[in-house]
Amino acid sequence: PSPSKVLSVQELRKQYGATVAVDGISFDVGRNEIVGLLGPNGAGKTTTINMVLGVLEPSSGSIRIEDVELSRRRSQALARTNFAAVYAPLPGNLTVQQNLRVFGLIYGVKGLTQRIEELLAQFDLVRFRHVKCGVLSSGEQTRVALAKAMLNRPRLLLLDEPTASLDPSTARDIRARIREFATQGEGGVLWTSHNMYEVEEVCDRVLFVSRGKILLEGDPRRLPQQHGKATLEELFI
Ligand code: ATP
């Protein structure tokens, strides 16, 4: 049987000289779960995500993706992960379809042609199929980035502010797509956001990080009441 946790982080720490960016963080992401990573600028969210992505070496601590320890079998662990960030543009001189094809080949996606068609339909990108990514609006590019991140049906999907550049109706639609991914598939999602309304709607659990430590953790719809506040915004700001 596949494990119920897709990500397990234990006592993760990252230090730059005298600056401790991440200070002993432990958390899990379950299969079919969306976990929100919240916190003010400089809290350590990006540093945490970059360590999970394998692009930053932790000072100490452990990261397991499903049952694989990242530091030991890096490529095997990372093959189960994918990442989408609103600030990471795709090659602009390739069309939407070419971009999906190139990344699909890199990921070794089986049945790639059909998978691309599914994702073009799912993210409302069919009419942009032959358009170069560089001329798309930022919201359209975000949709391509999300489709690209889902190409290989990752077990762990890392989303860094995925709706930041989207209009309200597209953002709602994207949240629904990501909920579908989490509830119907085999994966879990780690999501960073500064939008409390969105977090409340989409996340099953939130981790509130400040100065590299998790200060609060829980169900975003219950946490405020548990701490005598009316809204998440009141609790965190
Ligand atoms: P934001 O919401 O602004 O994206 P964040 O929560 O993602 O913030 P990080 O980017 O993880 O925050 O940064 C955490 C802390 O670590 C910050 O104080 C930052 O200045 C520091 N930091 C990050 N990278 C380095 C580095 N390469 N060298 C020194 N300090 C760093």
Side-chain angles (χ1 to χ4, degrees):
S2 41
S4 62
K5 290 172 189 171
V6 292
L7 174 66
S8 183
V9 168
Q10 291 294 325
E11 286 299 316
L12 194 63
R13 207 179 138 82
K14 182 70 187 179
Q15 189 157 359
Y16 297 103
T19 307
V20 182
V22 173
D23 192 6
I25 279 185
S26 302
F27 66 92
D28 297 323
V29 176
R31 192 174 299 289
N32 306 119
E33 187 181 38
I34 302 182
V35 175
L37 194 58
L38 318 180
N41 293 143
K45 304 182 297 294
T46 305
T47 307
T48 300
I49 292 234
N50 282 340
M51 288 191 279
V52 175
L53 274 172
V55 299
L56 251 188
E57 192 76 29
S59 302
S60 61
S62 108
I63 298 168
R64 295 176 79 84
I65 295 169
E66 291 194 305
D67 50 352
V68 184
E69 176 73 41
L70 182 56
S71 61
R72 299 239 175 86
R73 281 179 285 166
R74 196 182 182 84
S75 59
Q76 194 187 341
L78 292 177
R80 298 172 182 185
T81 305
N82 220 327
F83 178 64
V86 298
Y87 53 79
L90 294 160
N93 57 340
L94 298 184
T95 67
V96 171
Q97 186 166 320
Q98 286 167 341
N99 255 299
L100 294 178
R101 181 152 282 282
V102 165
F103 283 98
L105 291 172
I106 292 171
Y107 300 152
V109 173
K110 305 234 164 46
L112 181 58
T113 304
Q114 195 195 333
R115 183 71 184 137
I116 289 173
E117 292 310 312
E118 281 167 20
L119 289 164
L120 288 174
Q122 204 180 359
F123 287 93
D124 197 16
L125 289 167
V126 175
R127 65 185 180 283
F128 300 114
R129 168 197 304 272
H130 299 302
V131 179
K132 289 188 176 181
C133 282
V135 304
L136 294 176
S137 77
S138 58
E140 290 155 2
Q141 291 194 32
T142 301
R143 274 149 52 201
V144 182
L146 288 166
K148 176 224 144 201
M150 290 194 187
L151 267 169
N152 60 343
R153 304 178 198 273
R155 300 298 176 80
L156 173 64
L157 183 60
L158 302 166
L159 299 174
D160 200 359
E161 300 194 42
T163 59
S165 58
L166 302 178
D167 68 66
S169 124
T170 309
R172 190 191 318 126
D173 202 52
I174 292 296
R175 290 196 288 273
R177 296 286 87 76
I178 292 166
R179 274 236 70 92
E180 268 169 36
F181 168 86
T183 53
Q184 296 170 10
E186 289 286 291
V189 179
L190 185 62
W191 177 310
T192 74
S193 177
H194 289 290
N195 178 339
M196 296 300 149
Y197 165 80
E198 162 177 299
V199 160
E200 211 168 303
E201 185 189 297
V202 94
C203 294
D204 300 301
R205 196 151 52 83
V206 292
L207 312 168
F208 184 72
V209 180
S210 179
R211 299 184 180 200
K213 288 185 193 292
I214 295 175
L215 295 190
L216 279 173
E217 177 175 353
D219 178 338
R221 288 159 294 271
R222 292 196 195 147
L223 261 182
Q225 288 73 17
Q226 287 165 352
H227 292 84
K229 304 281 186 188
T231 62
L232 269 187
E233 207 138 81
E234 248 185 69
L235 180 62
F236 289 153
I237 296 169

